[in-house]
Amino acid sequence: MTHDGRLIRGERTRAAVLDQALLLTTVAGLGGLSLSQVADALGVSKSGLFAHWRSKEALQLAVIDHARAQWTDRIIRPALQAPRGLRRLWAVHDTRLGFYEAEVLPGGCFFANAHFEFNARPGVIRDRLAAELTDWMTFLTGVAADAVTLGELRAGAVAEDIAYQTESLGVCAVMQAPVLGRAPTFRRARRALLDHLRPLATDPTILPEPT
Amino acid sequence: MTHDGRLIRGERTRAAVLDQALLLTTVAGLGGLSLSQVADALGVSKSGLFAHWRSKEALQLAVIDHARAQWTDRIIRPALQAPRGLRRLWAVHDTRLGFYEAEVLPGGCFFANAHFEFNARPGVIRDRLAAELTDWMTFLTGVAADAVTLGELRAGAVAEDIAYQTESLGVCAVMQAPVLGRAPTFRRARRALLDHLRPLATDPTILPEPT
DNA sequence: CTATAAAAAGACCGACCGTTCGTAAACATA
DNA sequence: TATGTTTACGAACGGTCGGTCTTTTTATAG
């Protein structure tokens, strides 16, 4: 920091490197991240990266932090402030499931990809990714919980089964994220998901419309 | 082949290379496969590999074929010949779910890992893996179908929902395969899965025991 | 303006990578 | 045994990698 509070050079390049690294992650994954490519893409010397992070692994962990911070601030936090509850699932869909397709899935895709990539390699990154993916799935589970709960309550299922199937749905969402990202499968899967939710939301026998 | 039908030298080393490559895949994934490591582990020269496959990509595709052939012949085909039907789910568990834990999950883990690893890199391998994973999930879905169907029929759900949740279970199984492979999470997750299935199987109100 | 410390640059290292080539051994066949 | 082919080898190439230096530039403070 300078005395007037603006970012000094180092912090600006640091942020730029993290952005570029996160971008390149979509090419060959977090494990395939190349310091040379990051530096070249930014027009920056490769050695300069080692002034900010002592190793490639440190940079990779920083990229995870970066992704986490980005999606937390811009997506999860606003989502948690959205209207909640089971009373009007279709309204919830408009505000939560709509942005879910556009914003949440890419984030889940990143963590799921990285998780699978590092799954076979013991180390700090793998453990970190496992924790991240768990957090992410918890959020996805919360998103899907309303729909599943509605259907199961109608069917008279016990709470245990609800929890189990809810978790399955969260896992399913993350798992299918990369596949969903590719058209035209994306549209078909999206339509299937919405067709599954719509009758539950509009069926007047489930819950009465709020007056 | 020789005139008497035995394997000649080339085919033996070719098979050995595929075995070793598939083994090393568990270390750094299919993308992290190193021809040098494969050759060194076998005590074979690295250049000799190029006499059998023209490039690394060709070997990777061959490894996929190898994995596919192995698990198809030794696991899927015997499984499809196992006793079917819903009459005794618990017996089905003994024969199908038991081997499912031991044999099927590693196979699904391989394809899921590879699929995620190559998801971001367009190319022949990614397309091939997508097809493989689809096939594998189809099988897993069939394995899990009996259990889900039982539970849902009791709850009076419609066929559409059954299909949807069955597919979710298949996806879930593949997704969680790498996680399940690590103890002690494996035991806990296995117990959770079995605890979920056991009441469905032993509940006499679902289906009567066969006489 | 000068002094000073942070930051970026650039040359360089050893290791490993996939790949190619020329050559030698092992083989089936006759 | 002689022959032609298959198979494997060793050396080397060009390239990229992560990482370590030393040097130069830059921005700030006094």
Side-chain angles (χ1 to χ4, degrees):
Chain A
M1 285 273 203
T2 61
H3 62 289
D4 56 351
R6 283 178 302 128
L7 290 180
I8 62 175
R9 250 193 324 165
E11 302 190 17
R12 260 191 293 117
T13 61
R14 180 185 170 92
V17 166
L18 286 178
D19 283 337
Q20 184 66 38
L22 185 56
L23 178 63
L24 287 183
T25 283
T26 62
V27 178
L30 184 63
L33 190 64
S34 161
L35 300 187
S36 311
Q37 289 181 12
V38 173
D40 290 349
L42 283 175
V44 170
S45 74
K46 179 178 52 173
S47 60
L49 304 183
F50 288 88
H52 296 276
W53 301 274
R54 70 185 60 189
S55 67
K56 181 186 180 181
E57 189 184 53
L59 176 58
Q60 287 171 319
L61 287 174
V63 168
I64 296 179
D65 285 335
H66 191 54
R68 164 82 171 196
Q70 274 209 345
W71 284 309
T72 297
D73 293 344
R74 302 185 184 178
I75 296 172
I76 294 191
R77 191 164 301 155
L80 291 182
Q81 296 170 353
R84 309 180 119 255
L86 301 176
R87 311 222 62 173
R88 292 191 65 199
L89 180 63
W90 199 239
V92 172
H93 155 261
D94 282 339
T95 60
R96 297 178 76 182
L97 195 61
F99 102 95
Y100 161 81
E101 296 170 356
E103 304 293 344
V104 176
L105 274 186
C109 177
F110 171 82
F111 286 121
N113 269 305
H115 167 72
F116 270 86
E117 194 173 0
F118 282 86
N119 180 60
R121 323 176 193 174
V124 193
I125 297 185
R126 188 191 69 171
D127 298 337
R128 176 61 194 275
L129 283 171
E132 287 292 340
L133 194 60
T134 298
D135 281 3
W136 200 261
M137 274 173 46
T138 300
F139 172 71
L140 287 180
T141 296
V143 169
D146 293 352
V148 176
T149 305
L150 269 184
E152 295 304 316
L153 282 181
R154 180 179 55 169
V158 292
E160 243 176 33
D161 290 338
I162 294 181
Y164 182 84
Q165 293 171 14
T166 298
E167 184 181 336
S168 299
L169 245 185
V171 176
C172 174
V174 178
M175 174 73 183
Q176 288 183 327
V179 184
L180 290 179
R182 301 205 300 269
T185 315
F186 178 58
R187 297 180 197 160
R188 196 164 359 113
R190 173 195 173 197
R191 204 181 319 125
L193 178 61
L194 296 186
D195 289 347
H196 179 74
L197 294 179
R198 189 174 291 112
L200 299 182
T202 57
D203 188 347
T205 66
I206 301 179
L207 285 177
E209 281 289 319
T211 54
Chain B
M1 286 271 202
T2 62
H3 63 289
D4 57 349
R6 283 178 304 129
L7 288 180
I8 62 176
R9 237 190 342 159
E11 302 190 17
R12 261 192 292 117
T13 62
R14 182 187 168 89
V17 166
L18 286 178
D19 282 337
Q20 185 65 39
L22 185 55
L23 177 63
L24 288 183
T25 283
T26 62
V27 177
L30 184 62
L33 190 63
S34 161
L35 300 188
S36 310
Q37 289 181 13
V38 173
D40 290 349
L42 283 174
V44 170
S45 74
K46 180 176 50 174
S47 58
L49 305 183
F50 288 87
H52 296 275
W53 303 274
R54 73 184 60 187
S55 66
K56 181 185 180 181
E57 189 185 53
L59 176 59
Q60 286 172 318
L61 287 173
V63 168
I64 296 179
D65 285 336
H66 191 55
R68 165 82 171 195
Q70 273 210 343
W71 284 308
T72 296
D73 292 343
R74 303 185 183 177
I75 298 171
I76 292 190
R77 191 164 302 157
L80 292 182
Q81 298 168 352
R84 309 182 120 257
L86 302 176
R87 311 221 60 170
R88 292 191 66 200
L89 180 63
W90 197 239
V92 173
H93 156 261
D94 282 339
T95 61
R96 298 179 76 180
L97 194 61
F99 103 94
Y100 162 82
E101 296 169 355
E103 303 293 343
V104 178
L105 273 187
C109 176
F110 171 83
F111 286 122
N113 269 307
H115 167 72
F116 270 86
E117 194 172 3
F118 282 86
N119 180 60
R121 323 177 193 172
V124 194
I125 298 185
R126 188 192 70 171
D127 297 338
R128 177 61 193 275
L129 283 171
E132 287 293 340
L133 194 59
T134 298
D135 280 3
W136 200 261
M137 275 173 46
T138 299
F139 172 72
L140 287 180
T141 297
V143 170
D146 293 350
V148 176
T149 305
L150 268 186
E152 294 305 317
L153 282 180
R154 180 180 56 169
V158 292
E160 243 177 33
D161 289 338
I162 293 180
Y164 183 84
Q165 293 170 14
T166 297
E167 184 182 337
S168 299
L169 243 186
V171 176
C172 174
V174 178
M175 174 71 183
Q176 289 182 326
V179 184
L180 290 178
R182 301 204 301 268
T185 315
F186 178 57
R187 296 180 199 161
R188 197 166 355 115
R190 174 195 172 197
R191 204 182 319 125
L193 179 61
L194 295 187
D195 288 347
H196 179 74
L197 293 179
R198 188 175 290 114
L200 299 180
T202 57
D203 188 347
T205 66
I206 300 180
L207 285 177
E209 283 288 317
T211 55

